Amino acid sequence: AYLFFVRRIGPGYYLQARWWRTAVPFADKRAHMNKNEYNEFIDRWNRRPYQKSSQHKVIEKAILQLVGVPTPEFIGFIHPQRGARADGTALRSLADLDALCRGLVGRKICFKLVEGYGGAGFFAFQVEERAGQPVFVHPFTGAVTALAEWWQQAGGNRDGYIVEHYLPQHPVLAAIHPNSLNTLRIWLYQARGECRIAGAFLRVGRKGSLVDNTSSGGIFCPVDLATGTLTHAANAKNPLDTMDVHPDTGGRISGVQLPYWRECQEVAMRALQAFPHVNVAGVDVAIGVDGPRMIELNVRPDQIGCARINLPLKQVDRWMSAA
């Protein structure tokens, strides 16, 4: 009642945080922020004019590559007026896409909306040749899509798509759920030249989905920061539903050691430091066979993540505000 009527923190947040656990001190619960406080916190530490800099995936990728933060390999930017490949060749029409794909036969690629959220507008395909023409083949179902069919479906998006080589994930993560690229959401903040990791959880896809976003039905797995091991998994739609193995694949989750955990934290901090006047973020990191790759930086991450990793932002705010 106190949290709801005085702190304006609702029962949904309470359930996601699993605050019935006596292990969580009431002082920590009180130090979580309500929605208005959260928005004020983000705008205080991430200057509004700079917040869009990381929300356009081409701009974001250019900044990260400029300072040497590893990302999935860039192929091009599809846009009817400004589209271009990495080598500067035009990528503005179906004919341009056809020419590109003829050089990618046998490769697995992905398309992302330049300003997409929650896994919306994500496509992954194996490029193959059928009857002398390049086609898109779904990597798991084998369904074939003609380039013209995909272009008709997706080509009208006014913001365009970024095209990348698909990143093969580390076998440890593939063993949990192989169809989705399972990524870490790492919360971090910085002040006075010091960058700190606040918490992290692994997002894992469900039922053959290509995306791992919890908004698309995925599960989340909190990470023990000291060791880089997964503590358990939980269903985002029903936080009472916790599990030790993946509900669809049976892949082990609890106690699994994340590979390259130290390097993942380093990549996250380097990514945050690359963006001017951005001091708080939820960074998405994938773990490839040979190490982590930065996927995207979120300057206003979904606040419910604070509940999932027990992150009292008022304590963070006090540290950041200290002289």
Side-chain angles (χ1 to χ4, degrees):
Y2 172 86
L3 292 170
F4 181 72
F5 290 110
V6 178
R7 292 292 300 113
R8 294 306 197 193
I9 298 174
Y13 193 96
Y14 186 100
L15 287 171
Q16 288 284 340
R18 302 167 65 232
W19 273 347
W20 58 84
R21 295 172 296 146
T22 57
V24 183
F26 191 75
D28 282 3
K29 301 174 188 178
R30 195 168 56 239
H32 280 250
M33 292 182 173
N34 60 43
K35 192 63 177 179
N36 289 338
E37 291 170 336
Y38 178 72
N39 286 329
E40 292 171 359
F41 170 80
I42 292 295
D43 289 339
R44 180 160 57 253
W45 295 111
N46 296 341
R47 290 192 193 174
R48 271 191 171 271
Y50 291 87
Q51 287 185 22
K52 290 294 290 183
S53 62
S54 70
Q55 292 177 304
H56 189 286
K57 289 183 173 61
V58 176
I59 297 172
E60 177 184 56
K61 197 170 194 73
I63 293 172
L64 292 171
Q65 289 187 340
L66 188 65
V67 296
V69 175
T71 67
E73 186 181 352
F74 175 75
I75 296 174
F77 169 43
I78 296 176
H79 190 277
Q81 289 84 41
R82 298 187 291 275
R85 299 192 209 177
D87 63 3
T89 307
L91 190 51
R92 302 172 184 175
S93 66
L94 176 58
D96 293 339
L97 179 63
D98 182 272
L100 172 69
C101 290
R102 288 181 184 276
L104 293 172
V105 172
R107 303 294 299 273
K108 190 175 177 182
I109 64 174
C110 60
F111 300 85
K112 302 175 186 176
L113 282 172
V114 166
E115 296 203 36
Y117 302 91
F122 175 84
F123 300 90
F125 299 111
Q126 180 87 7
V127 183
E128 295 187 8
E129 186 175 304
R130 303 285 172 87
Q133 300 295 320
V135 296
F136 292 147
V137 179
H138 191 283
F140 306 114
T141 69
V144 178
T145 302
L147 268 61
E149 181 183 349
W150 182 85
W151 185 267
Q152 184 176 13
Q153 175 187 356
N157 182 274
R158 64 180 185 179
D159 294 319
Y161 286 82
I162 189 171
V163 192
E164 298 175 329
H165 286 284
Y166 193 86
L167 178 68
Q169 67 184 331
H170 195 281
V172 169
L173 278 75
I176 301 175
H177 186 261
N179 290 3
S180 57
L181 180 62
N182 308 308
T183 59
L184 282 166
R185 167 62 59 86
I186 302 176
W187 283 68
L188 67 168
Y189 55 96
Q190 62 181 350
R192 301 176 298 279
E194 181 180 351
C195 191
R196 293 186 172 187
I197 304 292
F201 55 89
L202 181 72
R203 302 177 302 180
V204 181
R206 288 288 311 274
K207 297 177 181 176
S209 173
L210 287 171
V211 297
D212 63 355
N213 306 76
T214 55
S215 59
S216 299
I219 58 177
F220 67 92
C221 316
V223 178
D224 182 293
L225 293 185
T227 63
T229 56
L230 304 178
T231 60
H232 65 279
N235 187 331
K237 295 183 178 179
N238 179 13
L240 297 174
D241 182 17
T242 60
M243 57 206 88
D244 294 324
V245 299
H246 193 282
D248 304 317
T249 68
R252 185 72 189 175
I253 293 174
S254 296
V256 168
Q257 173 68 56
L258 292 173
Y260 298 109
W261 172 235
R262 178 180 58 81
E263 291 85 351
C264 288
Q265 295 177 80
E266 291 173 353
V267 163
M269 289 189 284
R270 288 170 57 195
L272 178 63
Q273 292 164 347
F275 288 85
H277 305 296
V278 172
N279 298 294
V280 179
V283 172
D284 295 341
V285 176
I287 307 177
V289 175
D290 59 350
R293 297 290 187 277
M294 173 69 185
I295 301 299
E296 64 182 19
L297 182 143
N298 304 273
V299 298
R300 195 180 293 270
D302 192 343
Q303 188 190 359
I304 205 65
C306 297
R308 294 170 180 162
I309 57 176
N310 191 30
L311 176 56
L313 281 180
K314 282 187 171 292
Q315 296 175 3
V316 172
D317 193 40
R318 284 195 290 270
W319 181 83
M320 295 179 72
S321 302

